[in-house]
Amino acid sequence: MSWYRNTVWFVKGLREYTRGGYESASKRFNPADVEVDVAGRSFLVTGANSGIGKATAMEIARRGGTVHLVCRNKERAEVAKEEIVRETGNPSIFLHIVDISNPKEIWKFAEKFQNEHKLNVLINNAGCMVNNRELTEDGLEKNFATNTLGTYIMTTALVPLLEKAADARVITVSSGGMLVQKLNVSDLQSESGPFDGTMVYAQNKRQQVVLTEQWAKAHRNIHFSVMHPGWADTPAVRSSMPDFYERMKNSLRTEAQGADTVLWLAVSAEATKLPSGLFFQDRQPVPTHLPLAYTHSPPEDEEKLMEVLEEFSQKFKSASPG
């Protein structure tokens, strides 16, 4: 019976992830929440050349914010930057080429960025779902390197800069897929058992939720949040989940709909009235565990995750070029 109730709840929840779910939820939105002028505030968006990252950057630029686009592919990033400047008339758009799966690159970038810029809001959007086990040049499993370690290093490296800012925020784009995963700190790089890219991605997204909760406890002057964008029609979904895309393409959210809660968390005054460390969907906090799903972790596992990531982080910091 508990399995049945859990399944019914989850299927109902899946409907909320579609375009129809967004349209239903948006009836309670207050448009004034995001009708704000953010001129003078600085935003950094990773994975900003397409999909939810680009849509978020576009909307922040429309509101006058200074936007730093952190992208891996220089050619696509330059096209995205030109489009954002053209569409918004905002010239304060800056481009940084960084591979978020390369921890040494992130450290090098963050150290330079801190010396040259201010930062009010960090948006961790870059991610990947690699369906076969691939290793980076550093010997890291690629999903873990990008989604978990990359997010950890980018955030911890920029926390000192954020702590100097007024109304500092960190938003991480996770996924509702994490609801099917319990934190597993014993196999962070998916070395044992068969490799399932979708489940590895979901595990990484669970890790991002834990990171957000832990950061919120450790850094009281910064507002941390993590969110699920719903199922949106993005290049990443089309390439990483082609079967899912074909099945669901007529029900997927637009990129702007997927980015709506990211924007709300980044610019609205309402977002920071809520506690730091929460998980959001469609502008409201939602549970991080399904009923009776047994995905809760003991505190020692969450602490272990932070310890292991810090060890990795420091190892690559010492190895990064000056």
Side-chain angles (χ1 to χ4, degrees):
M1 181 59 71
S2 64
W3 176 89
Y4 174 77
R5 284 173 56 200
N6 197 40
T7 302
V8 168
W9 191 95
F10 189 52
V11 170
K12 177 177 179 290
L14 298 188
R15 292 193 209 108
E16 296 173 1
Y17 299 169
T18 63
R19 187 189 312 134
Y22 174 83
E23 290 167 352
S24 177
S26 66
K27 292 173 184 174
R28 60 173 167 74
F29 294 174
N30 181 359
D33 285 358
V34 294
E35 290 172 0
V36 294
D37 182 348
V38 292
R41 285 177 65 76
S42 176
F43 300 77
L44 189 155
V45 186
T46 67
N49 66 285
S50 67
I52 287 165
K54 180 182 169 188
T56 301
M58 182 80 76
E59 291 305 316
I60 292 169
R62 287 192 207 283
R63 289 157 177 79
T66 296
V67 187
H68 295 273
L69 314 175
V70 174
C71 308
R72 180 172 53 89
N73 184 291
K74 189 172 188 290
E75 289 180 7
R76 290 202 293 264
E78 287 175 343
V79 170
K81 176 188 171 181
E82 288 171 9
E83 183 182 342
I84 292 168
V85 171
R86 184 176 66 249
E87 291 284 325
T88 67
N90 184 343
S92 298
I93 312 299
F94 299 92
L95 184 57
H96 311 272
I97 305 304
V98 185
D99 183 349
I100 302 296
S101 74
N102 185 321
K104 294 190 288 291
E105 266 191 42
I106 302 171
W107 273 120
K108 183 180 178 183
F109 159 75
E111 287 167 2
K112 185 171 187 287
F113 188 90
Q114 289 187 78
N115 292 327
E116 298 176 356
H117 304 282
K118 71 168 193 171
L119 183 62
N120 298 93
V121 181
L122 167 63
I123 299 169
N124 290 310
N125 166 74
C128 69
M129 183 192 295
V130 179
N131 289 310
N132 296 301
R133 192 172 188 275
E134 294 180 20
L135 300 183
T136 69
E137 63 182 41
D138 296 304
L140 300 168
E141 191 277 314
K142 195 165 187 179
N143 293 291
F144 167 78
T146 306
N147 303 326
T148 302
L149 185 60
T151 297
Y152 178 86
I153 294 176
M154 182 65 78
T155 304
T156 54
L158 292 176
V159 156
L161 187 59
L162 287 160
E163 286 183 331
K164 298 175 186 175
D167 188 15
R169 310 182 189 193
V170 174
I171 299 116
T172 299
V173 178
S174 181
S175 166
M178 68 90 195
L179 290 166
V180 303
Q181 286 285 312
K182 179 180 180 178
L183 179 66
N184 177 10
V185 291
S186 65
D187 189 24
L188 290 175
Q189 299 204 63
S190 311
E191 295 172 284
S192 61
F195 187 89
D196 182 332
T198 304
M199 288 299 103
V200 170
Y201 177 82
Q203 172 65 209
N204 295 161
K205 295 300 173 175
R206 168 63 70 187
Q207 290 160 5
Q208 290 179 342
V209 170
V210 172
L211 288 179
T212 299
E213 293 168 345
Q214 295 297 312
W215 285 328
K217 293 175 189 174
H219 306 288
R220 302 290 185 176
N221 295 330
I222 302 171
H223 190 273
F224 290 87
S225 55
V226 59
M227 58 78 68
H228 173 41
W231 292 335
D233 186 352
T234 66
V237 167
R238 293 183 181 210
S239 62
S240 298
M241 305 173 70
D243 294 342
F244 171 82
Y245 172 75
E246 282 302 319
R247 197 165 62 248
M248 297 296 297
K249 62 185 177 183
N250 295 324
S251 301
L252 296 177
R253 299 179 177 203
T254 65
E255 292 173 347
Q257 289 171 342
D260 176 81
T261 296
V262 187
L263 178 70
W264 182 82
L265 288 165
V267 306
S268 78
E270 294 303 307
T272 53
K273 292 178 183 177
L274 293 161
S276 183
L278 298 180
F279 179 62
F280 288 82
Q281 179 183 318
D282 291 332
R283 300 194 191 183
Q284 66 180 6
V286 292
T288 56
H289 299 276
L290 294 173
L292 306 173
Y294 305 106
T295 52
H296 290 271
S297 302
E300 53 266 31
D301 282 5
E302 297 179 357
E303 290 164 11
K304 179 67 173 175
L305 175 68
M306 303 305 283
E307 289 169 9
V308 171
L309 293 178
E310 183 60 17
E311 286 172 13
F312 270 120
S313 172
Q314 291 303 317
K315 169 183 158 188
F316 289 110
K317 182 179 183 181
S318 61
S320 72

